[in-house]
């Protein structure tokens, strides 16, 4: 084909110009249909009319991709007015004129200076004009012509994608659509077969095929199984020229993945599984795992496990691990080796998502046998009951057996068991237990009214292995016996009016009993025998657990007897009968005519014989107490002998009394600043400390000299001398305080500590002149002096 074009090109180039010219469909514009031509001949002038014969141009054709060394000849323009004398000039304008296309202005020959590409620009539109070289005026109207680039097959087909990705379900039918590929050719589709593309498969047979004209890829093999092969790579070729030899081609790759369908049932890799479980395994604990294999993936491989039959159907359960698709066998109830040591289960695995299209492949489930061997372990003793309830009367004697607990070793060895009481539940040790037979007995008296229930815990442990133990609660109820006498429900203190009448009710009594009565309490009331005949009051039992107190006479005199004590006997009707004697206090009071109490105090009567015996005893007792107080106080004041500083560990003188003077602490080796004791000025005496052991002598610090204060110096020297000569002086680690207040106080020192050491008595009468704030102090010290003087 390429040879044919070249020959045609050469032939076309050698043909006369008119063989390549095709008349245009219409005339060019720019000139009138007829024009006037002036012909000048000598001096004569005449006007000639003629029809214009306009020049017309053919359409030029040019092959692309010219490879010659010379310029490619396009064609020739010629005007019929060209006489060949060089008077006309040809001009070319339009697409690529002067650059891509050039024209010989004398001959009208057009040439292409560069190689042309149809895919870049298929058509060039140019305009040509012939002008008079001398006058510059056009001799022909401007005409437009076209240079069309003829196509050659210089572009191979190109796919829209370098790589295609597609997927189809496995086991698809033959001819199932997979994907469509598309290739384009840049050559001219209207000229020859350069752009006619045909598809073919180079790689991927016999699994897939491709339609030659459309590029549609389809399955070509039946029952492609993902489990055998999941991914395929197909190479598709696109060739132009209708697939003929010499055509150009391009290829693309198609990656095809088979997606999974549920076409594989689950299968156990073995028919029997063996597991062991200690009998101490708690419920809901795993025993083992089993797994059925499924070649499918994702939801098609989801498996549900179940126990379909077996002697351990109610003892074990199975669940599915969603992550691993394993069946987890768990314990549902407590195991007992002594009761049953082997369980046989049948477990079934079933797909949860079944595809009806593949049911013909068989049931999508499988079963296996699971054998679980229960292992014996050393178990703690087991009580015969989960809890014990016992009853005991509160009056039982000590060491009385109230009940028995029983526990046995569940193991085949039947080890002996010993019993004990958890003392954290019986802190008072009220009960004890026989370690051999488990009988519980009392070790202290019981009292139902104090504690009704005793909740203790009994421990049973193996003798050979005490670590194997178990506990059981024992609830002991204390039963009531009639061991408490009834008593008043409250303290009764009543009154009777002086003007009361006989048989008048003055008080209603009621009683309570701490004991429990199943049929209800029945109390009886009566006066004590010693008061039954001589009392001024009577008692009436109402037979409803109440009684009334009535007056026996008409009038009472509070001056003769202001208070009566009435003993009342209260008895119950239980066995054994319990009774108690309670006292009712009755006061005689003055009342108005309506019986309203006015006063119950007996007025003091003046008798010529003097005070009563009771008053004399009270006065004498007050005098004795006052004398004892005065003697003790005087003895304390006259005590001059000093005791040693440290006589016991609790001596209060070990304490330091602070007067809010802050020193330098333990690091201050220059002693306490005596200047704070001076009033109003201070000096530094530069003395060493006596309250610590001296280790190193320091140079005294120099301070500004202040005016000497004689009374302070005398006070300090006196105290230093007393401490130096005192054998009871404090040790080095004690603080000696010199509490000096100065010489400007009118009251001087009020310290009670200093007053004890004075030799003579002091006069405190001046405290009465200090006002009401010092009245209490004046009374205390003034009274002391008066007591002492008296």
């Amino acid at each position: 084909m390429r040879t044919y074009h070249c020959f045609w090109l050469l032939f076309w180039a050698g043909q006369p110009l008119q063989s390549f010219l095709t008349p245009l469909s219409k005339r060019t514009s720019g000139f009138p249909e007829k024009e006037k031509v002036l012909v000048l001949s000598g001096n004569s002038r005449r006007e000639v009319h003629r029809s214009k014969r306009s020049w017309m141009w053919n359409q030029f054709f040019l092959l692309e991709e010219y490879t010659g060394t010379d310029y490619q000849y396009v064609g020739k323009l010629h005007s019929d007015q060209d006489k060949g004398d060089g008077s006309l000039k040809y001009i070319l304008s339009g697409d690529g004129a002067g650059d891509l296309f050039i024209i010989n202005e004398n001959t009208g020959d057009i040439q292409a200076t560069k190689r042309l590409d149809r895919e870049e620009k298929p058509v060039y539109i140019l305009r040509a004009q012939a002008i008079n070289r001398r006058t510059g005026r056009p001799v022909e109207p401007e005409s437009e012509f076209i240079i069309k680039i003829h196509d050659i097959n210089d572009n191979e087909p190109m796919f829209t994608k370098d790589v295609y990705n597609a997927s189809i379900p496995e086991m698809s039918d033959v001819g199932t659509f997979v994907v469509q590929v598309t290739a384009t050719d840049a050559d001219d589709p209207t000229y020859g077969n350069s752009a006619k593309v045909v598809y073919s498969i180079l790689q991927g047979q016999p699994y897939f095929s491709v339609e030659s004209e459309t590029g549609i890829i389809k399955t070509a093999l039946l029952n492609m199984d993902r489990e055998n092969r999941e991914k395929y790579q197909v190479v598709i070729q696109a060739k132009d020229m209708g697939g003929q030899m010499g055509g150009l081609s391009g290829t693309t790759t198609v990656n095809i993945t088979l997606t999974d369908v549920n076409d594989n049932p689950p299968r156990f890799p073995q028919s029997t599984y063996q597991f062991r479980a200690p009998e101490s395994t708690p419920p809901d604990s795993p025993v083992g795992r089993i797994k059925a294999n499924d070649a499918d993936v994702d939801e098609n491989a989801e498996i549900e496990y179940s126990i379909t039959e077996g002697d351990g159907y109610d003892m074990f359960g199975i669940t599915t691990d969603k992550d691993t698709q394993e069946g987890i066998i768990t314990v549902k109830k407590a195991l007992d080796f002594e009761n049953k040591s082997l369980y046989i289960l049948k477990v079934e695995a079933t797909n949860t998502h079944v595809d009806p299209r593949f049911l013909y492949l068989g049931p999508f489930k499988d079963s296996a046998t699971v054998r679980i061997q229960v292992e014996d372990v050393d178990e703690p003793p087991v009580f015969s009951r989960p809890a014990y309830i016992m009853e005991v009367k509160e009056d039982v004697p000590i060491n009385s057996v109230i009940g028995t607990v029983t526990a046995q070793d569940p193991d085949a060895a039947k080890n002996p068991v010993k019993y004990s009481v958890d003392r954290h539940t019986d802190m008072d040790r009220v009960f004890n237990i026989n370690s051999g037979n488990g009988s519980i007995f009392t070790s202290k008296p019981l009292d139902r009214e104090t504690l009704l229930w005793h909740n203790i815990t009994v421990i049973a442990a193996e003798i050979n292995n005490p670590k194997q133990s178990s506990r059981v609660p024992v609830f002991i109820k204390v039963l009531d016996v009639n061991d408490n006498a009834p008593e008043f429900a409250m303290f009764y203190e009543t009154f009777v009016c002086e003007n009361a009448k006989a048989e008048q009710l003055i008080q209603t009594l009621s009683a309570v009993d701490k004991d429990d009565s199943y049929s209800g309490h029945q109390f009886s009331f009566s006066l004590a025998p010693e008061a039954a005949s001589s009392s001024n009051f009577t008692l009436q039992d109402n037979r409803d657990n109440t009684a009334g107190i009535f007056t026996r006479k008409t009038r009472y005199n509070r001056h003769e007897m202001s208070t009566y004590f009435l003993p009342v006997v209260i008895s119950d009707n239980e066995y054994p009968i319990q009774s108690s004697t309670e006292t009712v206090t009755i006061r005689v009071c003055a009342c108005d005519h309506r019986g309203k109490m006015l006063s119950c105090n007996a007025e003091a009567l003046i008798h010529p014989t003097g005070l009563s015996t009771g008053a004399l005893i009270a006065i004498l007792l007050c005098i004795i107490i006052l004398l004892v107080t005065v003697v003790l106080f005087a003895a304390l004041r006259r005590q001059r002998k000093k005791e040693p500083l440290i006589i016991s560990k609790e001596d209060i003188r070990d304490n330091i009394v602070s007067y809010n003077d802050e020193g330098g602490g333990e690091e201050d080796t220059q002693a306490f600043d005596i200047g704070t004791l001076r009033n109003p000025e201070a000096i530094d005496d530069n003395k060493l400390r006596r309250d610590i052991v001296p280790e190193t002598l320091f140079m005294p610090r120099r301070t500004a000299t202040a005016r000497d204060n004689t009374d302070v110096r005398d006070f300090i020297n006196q105290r230093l001398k007393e401490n130096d000569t005192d054998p009871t002086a404090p040790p080095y680690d004690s603080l000696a305080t010199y509490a000096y207040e100065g010489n400007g106080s009118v009251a001087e020192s009020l310290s009670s500590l200093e007053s004890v050491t004075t030799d003579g008595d002091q006069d405190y009468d001046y405290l009465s002149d200090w006002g009401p704030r010092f009245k209490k102090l004046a009374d205390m010290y003034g009274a002391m002096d008066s007591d002492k003087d008296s």
Side-chain angles (χ1 to χ4, degrees):
M1 190 66 185
R2 291 180 181 270
T3 306
Y4 167 77
H5 280 292
C6 294
F7 172 77
W8 180 83
L9 176 61
L10 296 175
F11 175 78
W12 174 83
Q15 296 299 317
L17 179 62
Q18 57 270 20
S19 64
F20 300 96
L21 299 179
T22 302
L24 298 177
S25 61
K26 64 179 182 177
R27 293 181 180 272
T28 58
S29 59
F31 285 85
E33 192 67 25
K34 293 183 179 181
E35 65 175 357
K36 295 180 180 180
V37 180
L38 298 178
V39 179
L40 299 177
S41 176
N43 295 328
S44 65
R45 179 179 181 181
R46 61 188 179 91
E47 188 174 22
V48 182
H49 294 271
R50 67 178 178 84
S51 298
K52 176 183 180 296
R53 186 180 63 179
S54 179
W55 56 314
M56 302 178 64
W57 309 100
N58 291 343
Q59 185 175 11
F60 295 99
F61 294 91
L62 187 64
L63 289 177
E64 66 172 335
E65 304 296 342
Y66 172 71
T67 58
T69 57
D70 297 332
Y71 289 164
Q72 187 177 5
Y73 182 75
V74 179
K76 184 179 182 66
L77 300 178
H78 184 72
S79 174
D80 56 358
Q81 296 188 20
D82 188 1
K83 305 301 183 180
D85 55 358
S87 60
L88 294 183
K89 179 181 179 181
Y90 295 97
I91 299 175
L92 186 67
S93 62
D95 294 339
D99 180 21
L100 185 58
F101 299 101
I102 60 174
I103 188 171
N104 190 320
E105 62 181 16
N106 296 321
T107 63
D109 294 326
I110 302 174
Q111 292 178 314
T113 62
K114 297 180 181 179
R115 184 172 61 179
L116 303 178
D117 187 0
R118 188 202 68 83
E119 286 71 36
E120 182 178 347
K121 189 174 180 64
V123 175
Y124 294 88
I125 300 175
L126 298 121
R127 293 181 298 278
Q129 193 173 33
I131 63 173
N132 190 296
R133 189 183 297 274
R134 182 176 59 84
T135 62
R137 296 182 63 184
V139 298
E140 295 285 352
E142 185 179 56
S143 297
E144 183 177 272
F145 65 96
I146 296 174
I147 299 177
K148 188 174 182 181
I149 309 301
H150 270 180
D151 183 46
I152 64 172
N153 190 16
D154 61 342
N155 290 280
E156 70 275 5
M158 300 292 293
F159 283 94
T160 56
K161 295 181 180 178
D162 294 334
V163 178
Y164 289 82
N165 293 303
S167 62
I168 58 169
E170 63 174 333
M171 310 297 290
S172 297
D173 296 332
V174 175
T176 302
F177 173 84
V178 179
V179 70
Q180 184 178 11
V181 296
T182 303
T184 59
D185 196 318
D187 293 327
D188 189 0
T190 63
Y191 182 75
N193 294 328
S194 298
K196 186 177 181 181
V197 178
V198 175
Y199 300 95
S200 62
I201 185 168
L202 300 182
Q203 176 182 321
Q205 294 176 334
Y207 307 104
F208 301 95
S209 63
V210 63
E211 292 183 356
S212 60
E213 295 183 357
T214 62
I216 295 176
I217 301 175
K218 297 180 180 180
T219 58
L221 190 63
L222 185 64
N223 295 334
M224 286 191 293
D225 193 357
R226 184 199 65 85
E227 287 72 34
N228 292 332
R229 183 176 177 182
E230 182 179 6
K231 297 183 180 296
Y232 296 84
Q233 190 175 74
V234 178
V235 177
I236 302 297
Q237 181 189 63
K239 190 174 184 181
D240 59 11
M241 298 299 292
Q244 299 177 6
M245 292 183 61
L248 303 179
S249 64
T251 60
T252 187
T253 301
V254 182
N255 294 323
I256 302 175
T257 303
L258 298 183
T259 58
D260 185 58
V261 297
N262 192 6
D263 59 339
N264 293 278
R267 290 290 181 263
F268 283 105
Q270 58 193 70
S271 60
T272 304
Y273 292 85
Q274 295 276 356
F275 296 106
R276 293 180 175 272
E279 62 176 333
S280 60
T281 303
D284 298 329
S285 299
V287 174
R289 289 173 174 253
I290 61 176
K291 183 177 182 180
N293 298 325
D294 193 327
D296 298 320
V297 294
D298 299 332
E299 68 174 15
N300 297 320
E302 291 182 0
I303 300 175
E304 189 71 26
Y305 296 90
S306 61
I307 298 176
T308 57
E309 58 183 74
D311 54 1
Y313 183 82
D314 59 339
M315 297 295 296
F316 299 91
I318 188 168
T319 58
T320 303
D321 189 333
K322 298 301 182 182
D323 297 329
T324 63
Q325 296 301 316
E326 293 177 312
I328 305 174
I329 301 176
T330 57
V331 177
K332 293 173 60 177
K333 297 181 180 179
L335 303 176
D336 188 0
F337 172 81
E338 289 73 24
N339 184 25
K340 189 174 180 62
S341 60
L342 178 64
Y343 293 90
I344 300 177
L345 309 174
K346 184 178 181 181
V347 179
E348 188 175 80
T350 308
N351 275 142
T352 57
H353 300 85
V354 179
D355 194 335
R357 297 177 300 170
F358 305 103
L359 290 177
Y360 68 91
L361 297 176
F364 281 75
K365 60 183 179 180
D366 195 16
S367 60
T369 302
V370 178
R371 299 170 58 90
I372 301 176
Q373 182 72 42
V374 180
E375 296 179 341
D376 186 26
V377 296
D378 190 5
E379 298 177 276
V382 178
F383 284 94
S384 60
R385 300 179 189 175
Y388 291 85
I389 299 178
M390 302 178 182
E391 294 181 348
V392 58
K393 289 187 177 182
E394 60 178 330
D395 62 345
V396 297
I398 298 176
N399 296 327
S400 298
V401 177
I402 62 176
T404 303
V405 297
T406 305
Q408 292 183 352
D409 183 11
D411 299 321
K414 300 297 180 182
N415 293 322
V417 177
K418 64 177 181 179
Y419 303 91
S420 62
V421 177
D422 186 356
R423 290 307 172 188
H424 292 91
T425 61
D426 186 23
M427 301 293 289
D428 296 331
R429 296 181 177 269
V430 179
F431 301 95
N432 212 333
I433 190 170
N434 189 309
S435 62
N437 57 23
S439 59
I440 300 175
F441 55 90
T442 60
S443 57
K444 288 185 179 181
L446 302 176
D447 186 4
R448 188 201 69 86
E449 288 72 35
T450 302
L451 187 60
L452 176 61
W453 285 92
H454 294 268
N455 302 328
I456 65 175
T457 299
V458 175
I459 304 173
E462 295 182 9
I463 296 179
N464 298 334
N465 186 9
K467 292 183 178 179
Q468 294 294 338
S469 63
S470 57
R471 298 166 174 262
V472 68
V474 179
F475 307 101
I476 302 174
K477 183 179 181 181
V478 181
L479 301 179
D480 184 49
V481 295
N482 192 25
D483 59 344
N484 290 278
E487 57 187 12
F488 280 151
M490 57 180 293
F491 175 74
Y492 290 103
E493 182 177 7
T494 186
F495 71 94
V496 61
C497 295
E498 287 183 310
N499 55 358
K501 297 180 181 180
E503 303 300 327
Q504 181 178 346
L505 177 65
I506 62 173
Q507 182 66 51
T508 299
L509 306 177
S510 62
V512 294
D513 194 335
K514 294 181 180 179
D515 293 324
D516 190 14
S517 176
Y518 299 99
S519 60
H521 291 292
Q522 294 182 0
F523 302 126
S524 60
F525 299 85
S526 63
L527 291 178
E530 63 272 14
S533 58
S534 61
S535 175
N536 293 312
F537 302 91
T538 60
L539 180 69
Q540 179 180 340
D541 192 347
N542 298 327
R543 304 298 179 182
D544 60 353
N545 293 334
T546 63
I549 300 177
F550 296 86
T551 58
R552 174 174 286 184
K553 60 181 182 178
T554 302
R555 294 187 62 84
Y556 294 87
N557 191 339
R558 56 179 170 156
H559 300 297
E560 294 179 357
M561 180 67 71
S562 63
T563 304
Y564 293 90
F565 299 98
L566 185 65
V568 178
V569 178
I570 309 173
S571 302
D572 56 20
N573 292 325
E574 303 292 335
Y575 179 82
I577 296 176
Q578 300 287 341
S579 63
S580 64
T581 301
E582 303 287 334
T583 301
V584 180
T585 301
I586 303 174
R587 301 174 62 190
V588 181
C589 302
C591 303
D592 57 12
H593 64 282
R594 291 177 296 182
K596 184 177 181 180
M597 182 181 64
L598 297 178
S599 175
C600 292
N601 296 325
E603 289 82 8
L605 300 179
I606 301 176
H607 298 282
T609 56
L611 297 176
S612 64
T613 304
L616 292 176
I617 293 174
I619 294 173
L620 181 60
L621 183 61
C622 293
I623 293 174
I624 293 174
I625 293 174
L626 184 61
L627 289 176
V628 171
T629 303
V630 170
V631 170
L632 291 176
F633 197 89
L636 290 174
R637 293 184 58 190
R638 285 177 170 84
Q639 185 180 3
R640 294 188 180 90
K641 183 179 180 180
K642 296 183 180 179
E643 298 177 355
L645 182 62
I646 300 177
I647 59 176
S648 68
K649 293 183 179 180
E650 297 180 357
D651 194 335
I652 60 173
R653 283 174 290 180
D654 288 340
N655 298 329
I656 298 175
V657 180
S658 174
Y659 291 90
N660 295 329
D661 292 327
E662 298 183 1
E666 297 179 357
E667 301 297 330
D668 184 6
T669 57
Q670 298 300 318
F672 184 74
D673 187 8
I674 305 301
T676 57
L677 299 177
R678 296 181 177 275
N679 184 16
E681 298 171 348
I683 60 173
D684 189 1
D685 290 342
N686 296 328
K687 295 184 179 294
L688 298 178
R689 295 176 61 168
R690 297 182 63 253
D691 55 345
I692 62 172
V693 178
E695 295 178 352
T696 307
L697 296 179
F698 295 90
M699 295 300 295
R701 294 177 295 178
R702 296 184 179 274
T703 57
T705 304
R707 182 170 53 85
D708 191 8
N709 197 318
T710 306
D711 60 327
V712 174
R713 185 176 65 254
D714 294 339
F715 171 79
I716 297 300
N717 292 334
Q718 180 182 357
R719 287 300 176 89
L720 287 174
K721 184 177 180 180
E722 291 176 359
N723 279 278
D724 291 335
T725 58
D726 189 2
T728 62
Y732 286 115
D733 57 352
S734 299
L735 177 65
T737 302
Y738 303 96
Y740 178 74
E741 298 183 1
N743 57 359
S745 175
V746 177
E748 296 182 352
S749 176
L750 299 180
S751 173
S752 59
L753 298 177
E754 183 179 357
S755 61
V756 177
T757 60
T758 56
D759 296 331
D761 297 332
Q762 299 184 20
D763 186 8
Y764 297 101
D765 292 339
Y766 59 86
L767 296 176
S768 302
D769 301 333
W770 286 8
R773 293 188 178 182
F774 295 87
K775 182 175 182 304
K776 186 66 177 177
L777 192 62
D779 293 342
M780 291 175 58
Y781 284 91
M784 186 184 302
D785 292 340
S786 62
D787 293 341
K788 183 184 65 174
D789 295 337
S790 62

